[in-house]
Amino acid sequence: MSLDMSQLVVKDNALINASYRLSSNEMHLILLAIAMGREQEKGFEPDKMLEIRADTFAQYRGIERHTAYEALKEASKSFFHRYVTWTATNPRTGNEVKLQKHWIDTLAYEDGAGAIHLLFHKDLIPLITRLEKNFTSYDIEQVSKLTSSYALRLYELLMKWKDVGKTEKINLQEFREMLGIEPNQYMAMCDFKKVVEVLNDPELLTQNSLNTYTLSIVACKIMAPKWSSSQSPEPGNSPQEAKISRVGCEGGVLAKSGSLNSATAA
């Protein structure tokens, strides 16, 4: 069955702001599952499990079928144990609470067919199906070629604030958690520039609707990323040449600007 690449990934903003750690393949699997599940109305009831086959995953990612087969097989080994953490309000006390739920309730891998069958966790279903307000959506094609899990998460964050033109200020620790960075990874500010270099990936500009964006990191704050989503960049400033700031590290502040084609770590 041919995959409609215009299918929407739709998430409640609680999930956009949530914290979770997924590999690139696992993240693509959940995004494809959300898009296909909403389209087919499967994966939400025990007698209607969602099937994702290797050829569908291959079409989505633009990869060979045997590569997709191995990707799904590998993802099936760990994905069942992955969980997501988001913030909610206790209706009885009014206090903020952290909720942790697994992404899926049931997962089966059919080796001979190269297919995964899954059922979403019942508590996550309202966050991806019954949405009327406070949600983010985008065509699944927009992220199909992104290879970094960090870039995938940043793209979703930018899309949440696309109509505003800039995000709110995000605490650095919260930003790390949103990206799924382990507590013992990139602990020094100067080491964090390695992540920033990944987020300067030209893929974010050339493979989707974002032409330019600026990610500013100052002291212990992520200062509102800003971007332009116009389809026609200014003359002489193609998406590949768009300037991205904050690559170097000076006195605890990532503060070097450069083009995507020539930026180097300070």
Side-chain angles (χ1 to χ4, degrees):
M1 181 175 62
S2 179
L3 175 66
D4 180 3
M5 294 295 284
S6 66
Q7 291 184 91
L8 290 178
V9 176
V10 183
K11 290 184 180 181
D12 189 288
N13 284 341
L15 279 184
I16 299 296
N17 293 336
S19 303
Y20 50 86
R21 297 185 179 95
L22 298 174
S23 68
S24 178
N25 280 332
E26 290 169 341
M27 192 168 295
H28 278 295
L29 175 60
I30 194 64
L31 296 180
L32 183 58
I34 289 173
M36 292 180 60
R38 287 175 55 88
E39 179 73 16
Q40 301 176 16
E41 296 185 352
K42 291 183 178 180
F44 309 122
E45 299 177 18
D47 62 339
K48 293 183 178 179
M49 291 184 68
L50 175 67
E51 178 186 70
I52 299 179
R53 303 180 69 87
D55 52 358
T56 303
F57 195 73
Q59 180 187 349
Y60 160 57
R61 295 301 315 282
I63 57 180
E64 296 294 331
R65 187 183 185 281
H66 67 87
T67 304
Y69 181 95
E70 291 300 324
L72 287 183
K73 186 174 184 178
E74 187 64 28
S76 70
K77 297 177 182 178
S78 55
F79 189 55
F80 180 77
H81 302 287
R82 302 300 191 191
Y83 63 90
V84 56
T85 303
W86 76 94
T87 302
T89 301
N90 185 327
R92 183 175 61 84
T93 65
N95 294 330
E96 185 178 280
V97 296
K98 294 286 188 180
L99 295 176
Q100 288 188 334
K101 297 290 182 180
H102 288 285
W103 284 98
I104 54 177
D105 181 72
T106 304
L107 183 145
Y109 179 70
E110 189 177 353
D111 197 4
I116 279 182
H117 305 264
L118 61 84
L119 182 68
F120 289 100
H121 193 287
K122 62 181 179 63
D123 290 342
L124 290 186
I125 291 174
L127 300 181
I128 56 179
T129 59
R130 297 187 286 273
L131 301 175
E132 296 180 358
K133 60 181 181 179
N134 299 325
F135 64 90
T136 298
S137 66
Y138 53 87
D139 292 348
I140 195 168
E141 184 176 17
Q142 298 293 327
V143 296
S144 63
K145 300 299 189 295
L146 296 179
T147 57
S148 163
S149 60
Y150 298 154
L152 282 162
R153 288 293 282 138
L154 178 62
Y155 180 80
E156 288 193 325
L157 180 62
L158 293 177
M159 290 303 293
K160 174 189 171 185
W161 293 91
K162 184 172 181 287
D163 292 338
V164 179
K166 65 177 181 179
T167 74
E168 60 186 351
K169 293 181 181 179
I170 306 172
N171 177 276
L172 180 57
Q173 182 57 37
E174 292 176 356
F175 188 70
R176 289 171 56 91
E177 292 173 358
M178 286 180 180
L179 293 183
I181 297 174
E182 298 283 354
N184 60 349
Q185 286 183 301
Y186 313 114
M187 297 175 66
M189 179 64 79
C190 288
D191 288 337
F192 194 67
K193 68 184 179 184
K194 298 174 183 177
V195 177
V196 177
E197 289 169 356
V198 171
L199 298 182
N200 285 341
D201 193 335
E203 290 179 291
L204 270 178
L205 303 179
T206 60
Q207 298 294 339
N208 50 59
S209 59
L210 299 177
N211 280 333
T212 64
Y213 69 90
T214 300
L215 182 65
S216 305
I217 305 176
V218 180
C220 290
K221 294 286 186 179
I222 295 290
M223 308 297 289
K226 303 177 183 178
W227 66 96
S228 166
S229 58
S230 62
Q231 296 302 315
S232 300
E234 295 180 3
N237 185 28
S238 66
Q240 293 87 344
E241 296 170 343
K243 289 187 176 180
I244 305 299
S245 69
R246 314 310 188 224
V247 177
C249 182
E250 298 176 2
V253 177
L254 295 172
K256 179 179 178 180
S257 297
S259 72
L260 286 172
N261 293 330
S262 60
T264 57

